[in-house]
Amino acid sequence: MKLEDLNDVSVIGSGTMGNGIAQVFALHGYKVNLIDIKQELLDKAINTISNSLERFLKKEKITREQKTMTLNNIKTTTDINDIKNAQLVVEAVTENYDIKVRLYRQIDDICSPDTIFASNTSSLPITKLASQTKRPDKFIGMHFMNPVPMMKLVELIRGFATSEETGDFIRKLSEKLDKVPVEVNDYPGFIGNRLLMPLINEAIFTLMEGVATAEAIDNIMRLGMGHPMGPLTLADFIGLDVCLAIMRVMYEGLGNPKYYPCPLLIKMVEAGFLGRKSGHGFFKYDK
Ligand code: CAA
C-alpha cells in the first residue's frame, strides 16, 4: 500500500495511549475508528482528546478549525467488526500478552489480508505476537510515548518476519504524523523502557529503603539532571501497573536479576495505588 492511499485507520483501545494515538492520526487528516469495549470509555476518551486539543489551541499550536476537524475525524464504536475496512490497525489495549493474542486472532479473521497491524506494546515481543497472526510480514511495533500528542518519539520495532515494505510504510507514516521514528530490534523493553524502567525501579527502591522522601528523589533528578519529571512522578504518570508489567517482561525475557521489580512497586499495584489514573500513587491527584 502507498502512504497516500491510506485513509481508513482503526485504533483499538481508548485508554491513555489509544486516545492520544487517535488524536494524532485525526489531527493529521486521517479518518479514525476508535474502538473499545464500553461506550463510557469511548466517551471519556473523546473528552480527553477535546481537552488536549483545547490546550493546544490556547497555546496557539492549532486553530479552532483544526480542533473541529480532528474531533470530526474520529468515530467511536464498541463493535469490533467495524474494523473490517481498516487499512491499518493500531492496537493499544492493556499490556497483557494473552489479551492481545486473543484480540489479534479475532481481528486477523475480520480484516483484509492486506491490513497492517501495528502494536503500541511497550515491551511485549513483536515477533511472538506477530506469529499468532496469518500476517507476520504485515505486523510491526509502533510504540508511541505518553503523552502521545506531545512526545516526538515513535519507537519502531520490526519483528523477525516484518517485511521491509511494512517497516518503510510505518516509518514514513510516523514522519507524516510529525513524529520522529527510531528503529530498534525486538528485545524485551526495546530501548525506551529498558533504560527508563530500571531508573524508575531504582527510585522506588531508594524510597522503600528510606534513603529520601518521594519529593526529594524527584527533585534530585529534576533539578540535578534536568529531567522534566522526577522518576516517581513519571511512574505515577505512566501508571504503576504498566511499570510493573514492563519490569516483569524484562525480568522474564532477559533473565537478569537486575530487572527484579521492587517489592514496594508490587505492593502498591496490589493495593490499587496505580498513580494518576487511580488518584493515588507516590503522590496524590484529583481524579
Ligand atoms: N495534550 C495532552 N497532554 C497535555 C497537553 C496536551 N495538549 N498539554 C499538557 N499536557 C499534560 C502534561 O502531561 C501535564 O498534565 P497536568 O497539567 O494535567 O497535570 C500537563 O498536561 C503539563 O502541562 P504543561 O503545559 O505544564 O506541559 P509541559 O510543557 O510542562 O510538558 C510534558 C509536559 C511534555 C509531559 C513533560 O513534563 C515531559 O516531557 N515529561 C516526561 C514525559 C515522558 O517521559 N514520557 C515518556 C513516558 S514513557 C512511555 O510513554 C513509554 C512507555 O511505554 C511507558
Side-chain angles (χ1 to χ4, degrees), residues 120-179:
N120 178 60
T121 180
S122 46
S123 62
L124 293 170
I126 295 302
T127 303
K128 209 166 148 197
L129 286 173
S131 71
Q132 301 300 314
T133 71
K134 295 190 275 291
R135 64 188 81 215
D137 58 320
K138 296 194 182 66
F139 197 111
I140 193 162
M142 188 180 193
H143 183 208
F144 291 84
M145 301 291 132
N146 184 15
V148 179
M150 299 187 83
M151 305 308 275
K152 278 285 185 191
L153 176 68
V154 174
E155 231 177 355
L156 283 195
I157 308 104
R158 290 187 199 213
F160 191 77
T162 308
S163 68
E164 281 293 312
E165 198 185 342
T166 301
D168 290 349
F169 181 85
I170 297 295
R171 184 173 45 75
K172 286 187 195 133
L173 173 62
S174 303
E175 284 162 358
K176 200 166 168 204
L177 296 175
D178 203 21
K179 300 290 182 198

Side-chain angles (χ1 to χ4, degrees), residues 2-235:
K2 290 208 186 92
L3 192 52
E4 47 278 22
D5 296 334
L6 177 69
N7 47 49
D8 202 326
V9 178
S10 283
V11 177
I12 309 180
S14 68
T16 313
M17 299 304 283
N19 71 58
I21 294 168
Q23 177 180 328
V24 168
F25 273 95
L27 179 64
H28 288 83
Y30 291 102
K31 299 277 178 215
V32 180
N33 240 337
L34 182 59
I35 300 163
D36 214 318
I37 47 177
K38 285 190 188 151
Q39 190 56 44
E40 66 198 69
L41 297 174
L42 291 164
D43 294 343
K44 201 172 153 209
I46 294 297
N47 194 37
T48 303
I49 293 170
S50 181
N51 289 339
S52 169
L53 291 166
E54 193 58 35
R55 292 176 83 142
F56 283 129
L57 183 60
K58 286 210 175 98
K59 288 181 190 163
E60 297 183 355
K61 293 203 169 149
I62 61 168
T63 61
R64 186 152 296 283
E65 291 68 38
Q66 278 177 302
K67 178 180 173 189
T68 308
M69 183 263 305
T70 304
L71 290 170
N72 286 341
N73 275 346
I74 304 175
K75 263 194 346 195
T76 60
T77 176
T78 54
D79 183 357
I80 193 71
N81 291 301
D82 286 344
I83 61 163
K84 64 178 180 301
N85 296 323
Q87 296 159 295
L88 169 69
V89 174
V90 184
E91 168 274 309
V93 304
T94 190
E95 276 301 278
N96 175 298
Y97 179 76
D98 294 334
I99 291 174
K100 286 194 195 276
V101 166
R102 222 175 301 135
L103 175 71
Y104 278 119
R105 288 194 183 137
Q106 192 183 10
I107 64 174
D108 209 20
D109 291 332
I110 301 172
C111 291
S112 144
D114 294 329
T115 305
I116 294 175
F117 289 174
S119 177
N120 178 60
T121 180
S122 46
S123 62
L124 293 170
I126 295 302
T127 303
K128 209 166 148 197
L129 286 173
S131 71
Q132 301 300 314
T133 71
K134 295 190 275 291
R135 64 188 81 215
D137 58 320
K138 296 194 182 66
F139 197 111
I140 193 162
M142 188 180 193
H143 183 208
F144 291 84
M145 301 291 132
N146 184 15
V148 179
M150 299 187 83
M151 305 308 275
K152 278 285 185 191
L153 176 68
V154 174
E155 231 177 355
L156 283 195
I157 308 104
R158 290 187 199 213
F160 191 77
T162 308
S163 68
E164 281 293 312
E165 198 185 342
T166 301
D168 290 349
F169 181 85
I170 297 295
R171 184 173 45 75
K172 286 187 195 133
L173 173 62
S174 303
E175 284 162 358
K176 200 166 168 204
L177 296 175
D178 203 21
K179 300 290 182 198
V180 179
V182 178
E183 294 191 23
V184 307
N185 289 324
D186 184 22
Y187 282 86
F190 316 130
I191 290 291
N193 282 321
R194 182 144 169 201
L195 300 191
L196 175 64
M197 288 303 156
L199 168 68
I200 288 177
N201 200 45
E202 197 61 27
I204 304 172
F205 268 111
T206 59
L207 180 69
M208 187 179 76
E209 290 163 10
V211 182
T213 63
E215 288 80 7
I217 294 164
D218 272 10
N219 278 340
I220 284 169
M221 298 311 285
R222 263 189 333 104
L223 306 177
M225 283 66 177
H227 290 198
M229 288 174 169
L232 300 174
T233 302
L234 185 54

